[in-house]
Amino acid sequence: MDTTLKIVDDWQQAKECCQRWQQAGETVVFTNGCFDILHAGHVTYLEQARSLGNRLVIGLNTDASVRRLKGARRPIVPQAARARLLAALQAVDMVVCFDEDTPLALIQTLCPDILVKGGDYTEATIVGADFVKGNGGRVEVIPFLNGFSTSNIIEKIVKLHCQNQE
Ligand SMILES: Nc1ncnc2c1ncn2[C@@H]1O[C@H](COP(=O)(O)OP(=O)(O)OP(=O)(O)O)[C@@H](O)[C@H]1O
Ligand SMILES: O=P(O)(O)O[C@@H]1O[C@H]([C@H](O)CO)[C@@H](O)[C@H](O)[C@@H]1O
């Protein structure tokens, strides 16, 4: 299968695909993030998110959005490559990029049935939670898998490869 076909650039096309899934009785799960330097915590998280429904859609921050969110030295991995890696995961059915600071407009466009974030968030801090619940959906927080973060990976690389070696 050509998994690049999961990467959808046009939000209207993504909306129509989600509608087709929902009209077929499938539950559409949505999550979002930067997913810079994909790691095992992301993969476990996404597989658990997918298990909550029948389809998993990822809202992926563009490079400009990541830079505003995480600083000028991020992302490490450009959005095209981040999208490509996510699309290759069996758990993922669609990847849609958003350039805003938050995924709210995308969530309001796609109207997912379930909105998911990891345990580094609470329902009160999940953007789109009120909209999804108001639209008859629900919000789920997936436990954080400790020891896995992109920041930790970057710190380890700097420590092991960039500082003066003893
Ligand atoms: N170890 C983990 N366990 C479960 N969920 C995770 C884990 N790491 C990230 N996530 C989830 O994956 C999504 C994307 O997170 P993000 O790309 O910010 O990962 P990160 O490793 O925390 O990155 P950074 O260290 O740059 O903040 C978020 O919904 C987040 O809750
Ligand atoms: O990868 P991150 O930093 O977990 O993703 C961010 O999530 C924010 C979250 O949805 C707030 O509830 C979102 O606003 C931001 O754009 C990133 O996707």
Side-chain angles (χ1 to χ4, degrees):
M1 174 191 177
D2 179 0
T3 54
T4 62
L5 296 175
K6 298 181 189 177
I7 302 169
V8 178
D9 295 325
D10 179 75
W11 284 18
Q12 183 60 30
Q13 185 185 337
K15 174 182 179 175
E16 289 166 4
C17 187
C18 289
Q19 287 177 330
R20 285 195 297 273
W21 286 336
Q22 290 168 326
Q23 287 159 6
E26 295 185 306
T27 297
V28 175
V29 182
F30 177 95
T31 191
N32 57 275
C34 300
F35 297 99
D36 190 17
I37 308 181
L38 200 65
H39 54 70
H42 287 138
V43 173
T44 302
Y45 164 74
L46 292 172
E47 289 176 345
Q48 291 174 345
R50 169 65 177 74
S51 72
L52 296 172
N54 305 104
R55 299 282 182 174
L56 176 61
V57 179
I58 297 178
L60 184 66
N61 293 76
T62 61
D63 291 343
S65 179
V66 174
R67 266 191 290 278
R68 292 194 302 271
L69 191 69
K70 303 208 175 189
R73 290 185 288 180
R74 299 287 296 279
I76 304 295
V77 180
Q79 69 193 59
R82 289 184 283 123
R84 182 70 190 92
L85 286 163
L86 290 167
L89 297 178
Q90 186 175 15
V92 175
D93 293 282
M94 186 191 298
V95 180
V96 189
C97 288
F98 66 94
D99 199 35
E100 295 81 1
D101 290 347
T102 80
L104 183 58
L106 180 56
I107 292 169
Q108 291 171 331
T109 300
L110 300 184
C111 298
D113 302 296
I114 303 174
L115 173 60
V116 178
K117 288 294 283 182
D120 45 337
Y121 292 91
T122 64
E123 187 165 321
T125 62
I126 295 176
V127 169
D130 291 343
F131 173 81
V132 169
K133 289 189 290 187
N135 198 42
R138 74 176 199 264
V139 177
E140 296 284 351
V141 177
I142 288 178
F144 199 83
L145 202 58
N146 289 322
F148 296 94
S149 82
T150 299
S151 296
N152 287 351
I153 293 170
I154 294 170
E155 285 166 20
K156 187 171 183 179
I157 291 169
V158 169
K159 181 178 179 182
L160 294 176
H161 293 272
C162 304
Q163 293 166 347
N164 294 333
Q165 307 298 317
E166 279 81 44

